[in-house]
Amino acid sequence: MTAPTPESAAALLAEAEAARTRVRAGAGPAASAFLVTLGGASAGFFLAQPLAGSERGVGAAATVFTFAVLGAAAALVGARGTTRAGFSTRFGLAMGLWAAVLAVGLAVGMAVPGLAHDWSWWAPLAVAVAAPCLVGAWRERPR
Protein backbone atom coordinates (compact mmCIF):
# COMPACT_ATOMS: atom_id res chain seq x y z
CA MET A 1 0.00 0.00 0.00
CA THR A 2 1.36 3.35 -0.97
CA ALA A 3 1.14 6.51 1.03
CA PRO A 4 -1.63 8.82 -0.17
CA THR A 5 -0.63 11.93 -1.95
CA PRO A 6 -1.94 15.28 -0.81
CA GLU A 7 -4.09 15.40 -3.95
CA SER A 8 -5.65 11.95 -3.37
CA ALA A 9 -6.26 12.76 0.32
CA ALA A 10 -7.95 16.03 -0.64
CA ALA A 11 -10.10 14.18 -3.20
CA LEU A 12 -11.17 11.59 -0.60
CA LEU A 13 -12.02 14.30 1.93
CA ALA A 14 -14.07 16.15 -0.68
CA GLU A 15 -15.90 12.92 -1.55
CA ALA A 16 -16.68 12.28 2.12
CA GLU A 17 -18.00 15.83 2.56
CA ALA A 18 -20.17 15.48 -0.54
CA ALA A 19 -21.63 12.23 0.82
CA ARG A 20 -22.32 13.88 4.17
CA THR A 21 -24.07 16.78 2.42
CA ARG A 22 -26.24 14.36 0.39
CA VAL A 23 -27.29 12.44 3.51
CA ARG A 24 -28.04 15.63 5.43
CA ALA A 25 -30.10 17.00 2.52
CA GLY A 26 -32.00 13.71 2.28
CA ALA A 27 -32.96 13.62 5.97
CA GLY A 28 -36.71 13.71 6.00
CA PRO A 29 -39.05 15.47 8.41
CA ALA A 30 -40.96 12.27 9.28
CA ALA A 31 -39.44 11.79 12.74
CA SER A 32 -40.01 15.43 13.66
CA ALA A 33 -43.59 15.29 12.38
CA PHE A 34 -44.24 12.12 14.37
CA LEU A 35 -42.90 13.66 17.57
CA VAL A 36 -44.90 16.88 17.09
CA THR A 37 -48.07 14.85 16.50
CA LEU A 38 -47.38 12.63 19.51
CA GLY A 39 -46.71 15.62 21.77
CA GLY A 40 -49.78 17.51 20.56
CA ALA A 41 -52.06 14.50 20.80
CA SER A 42 -50.79 13.67 24.30
CA ALA A 43 -51.28 17.23 25.49
CA GLY A 44 -54.77 17.30 23.98
CA PHE A 45 -55.61 14.01 25.66
CA PHE A 46 -54.48 15.34 29.03
CA LEU A 47 -56.37 18.60 28.57
CA ALA A 48 -59.51 16.63 27.71
CA GLN A 49 -59.45 14.83 31.08
CA PRO A 50 -60.93 17.67 33.15
CA LEU A 51 -63.53 18.28 30.45
CA ALA A 52 -64.68 14.68 30.21
CA GLY A 53 -67.72 14.35 32.39
CA SER A 54 -67.90 10.59 32.16
CA GLU A 55 -66.12 7.47 31.06
CA ARG A 56 -67.57 8.06 27.61
CA GLY A 57 -65.77 11.39 27.34
CA VAL A 58 -62.48 9.85 28.42
CA GLY A 59 -63.04 7.04 25.93
CA ALA A 60 -63.67 9.52 23.13
CA ALA A 61 -60.50 11.44 23.98
CA ALA A 62 -58.54 8.18 24.10
CA THR A 63 -59.93 7.19 20.69
CA VAL A 64 -58.88 10.47 19.08
CA PHE A 65 -55.46 10.17 20.71
CA THR A 66 -55.05 6.59 19.46
CA PHE A 67 -55.97 7.41 15.88
CA ALA A 68 -53.65 10.44 15.84
CA VAL A 69 -50.72 8.38 17.10
CA LEU A 70 -51.45 5.47 14.76
CA GLY A 71 -51.65 7.84 11.80
CA ALA A 72 -48.38 9.51 12.74
CA ALA A 73 -46.70 6.12 13.27
CA ALA A 74 -47.90 4.91 9.85
CA ALA A 75 -46.49 8.06 8.24
CA LEU A 76 -43.19 7.57 10.09
CA VAL A 77 -42.89 3.95 8.97
CA GLY A 78 -43.85 4.83 5.40
CA ALA A 79 -41.32 7.64 5.10
CA ARG A 80 -38.30 6.95 2.96
CA GLY A 81 -35.94 9.63 4.24
CA THR A 82 -32.67 9.21 6.05
CA THR A 83 -31.90 10.28 9.59
CA ARG A 84 -29.00 12.17 11.05
CA ALA A 85 -26.22 10.51 13.03
CA GLY A 86 -27.27 9.80 16.61
CA PHE A 87 -30.97 9.61 15.75
CA SER A 88 -31.63 6.39 17.66
CA THR A 89 -30.29 7.79 20.93
CA ARG A 90 -32.14 11.10 20.66
CA PHE A 91 -35.39 9.50 19.51
CA GLY A 92 -35.21 6.85 22.23
CA LEU A 93 -34.61 9.47 24.89
CA ALA A 94 -37.56 11.59 23.72
CA MET A 95 -39.85 8.55 23.58
CA GLY A 96 -38.69 7.27 26.98
CA LEU A 97 -39.25 10.61 28.70
CA TRP A 98 -42.65 10.97 27.02
CA ALA A 99 -43.69 7.47 28.11
CA ALA A 100 -42.57 8.06 31.69
CA VAL A 101 -44.49 11.34 32.00
CA LEU A 102 -47.56 9.79 30.34
CA ALA A 103 -47.57 6.71 32.56
CA VAL A 104 -46.96 8.52 35.84
CA GLY A 105 -49.39 11.31 34.97
CA LEU A 106 -52.20 8.94 34.05
CA ALA A 107 -51.57 6.64 37.01
CA VAL A 108 -51.56 9.43 39.56
CA GLY A 109 -54.35 11.41 37.88
CA MET A 110 -56.68 8.44 37.79
CA ALA A 111 -55.74 6.92 41.17
CA VAL A 112 -55.73 9.98 43.43
CA PRO A 113 -59.25 11.03 44.39
CA GLY A 114 -60.20 14.45 43.07
CA LEU A 115 -57.53 14.71 40.36
CA ALA A 116 -59.55 13.14 37.53
CA HIS A 117 -61.28 16.44 36.72
CA ASP A 118 -58.80 18.92 38.23
CA TRP A 119 -57.33 21.48 35.81
CA SER A 120 -54.46 22.24 38.19
CA TRP A 121 -53.19 18.68 37.66
CA TRP A 122 -53.84 18.11 33.96
CA ALA A 123 -52.85 21.51 32.49
CA PRO A 124 -49.22 21.51 33.71
CA LEU A 125 -49.04 17.80 32.93
CA ALA A 126 -50.13 18.51 29.34
CA VAL A 127 -47.09 20.78 28.96
CA ALA A 128 -44.83 18.22 30.63
CA VAL A 129 -45.96 15.36 28.39
CA ALA A 130 -45.57 17.40 25.20
CA ALA A 131 -42.16 18.86 26.11
CA PRO A 132 -39.97 15.78 25.42
CA CYS A 133 -41.65 15.28 22.06
CA LEU A 134 -41.37 18.91 21.01
CA VAL A 135 -37.72 19.16 22.07
CA GLY A 136 -37.03 15.88 20.27
CA ALA A 137 -38.78 17.15 17.14
CA TRP A 138 -36.72 20.33 17.22
CA ARG A 139 -33.52 18.28 17.53
CA GLU A 140 -34.51 16.00 14.63
CA ARG A 141 -35.64 18.65 12.19
CA PRO A 142 -33.87 18.51 8.83
CA ARG A 143 -31.00 20.95 8.56
Side-chain angles (χ1 to χ4, degrees):
M1 192 162 152
T2 61
T5 65
E7 294 81 20
S8 66
L12 288 172
L13 287 172
E15 187 178 325
E17 182 59 32
R20 185 179 114 135
T21 301
R22 279 192 312 275
V23 168
R24 183 179 286 188
S32 289
F34 171 78
L35 288 169
V36 167
T37 302
L38 182 65
S42 300
F45 177 64
F46 278 5
L47 289 174
Q49 299 309 306
L51 295 174
S54 66
E55 289 180 13
R56 248 180 113 152
V58 172
T63 301
V64 170
F65 170 75
T66 300
F67 282 120
V69 172
L70 288 176
L76 178 63
V77 170
R80 298 271 183 211
T82 60
T83 58
R84 297 184 308 118
F87 166 77
S88 296
T89 302
R90 290 186 305 272
F91 191 77
L93 181 61
M95 293 299 295
L97 289 171
W98 165 82
V101 173
L102 183 81
V104 170
L106 282 175
V108 172
M110 296 299 174
V112 174
L115 286 184
H117 299 291
D118 186 1
W119 277 99
S120 65
W121 171 255
W122 294 106
L125 198 56
V127 174
V129 78
C133 295
L134 298 178
V135 169
W138 180 78
R139 296 279 320 264
E140 291 309 318
R141 74 195 185 286
R143 295 186 173 133

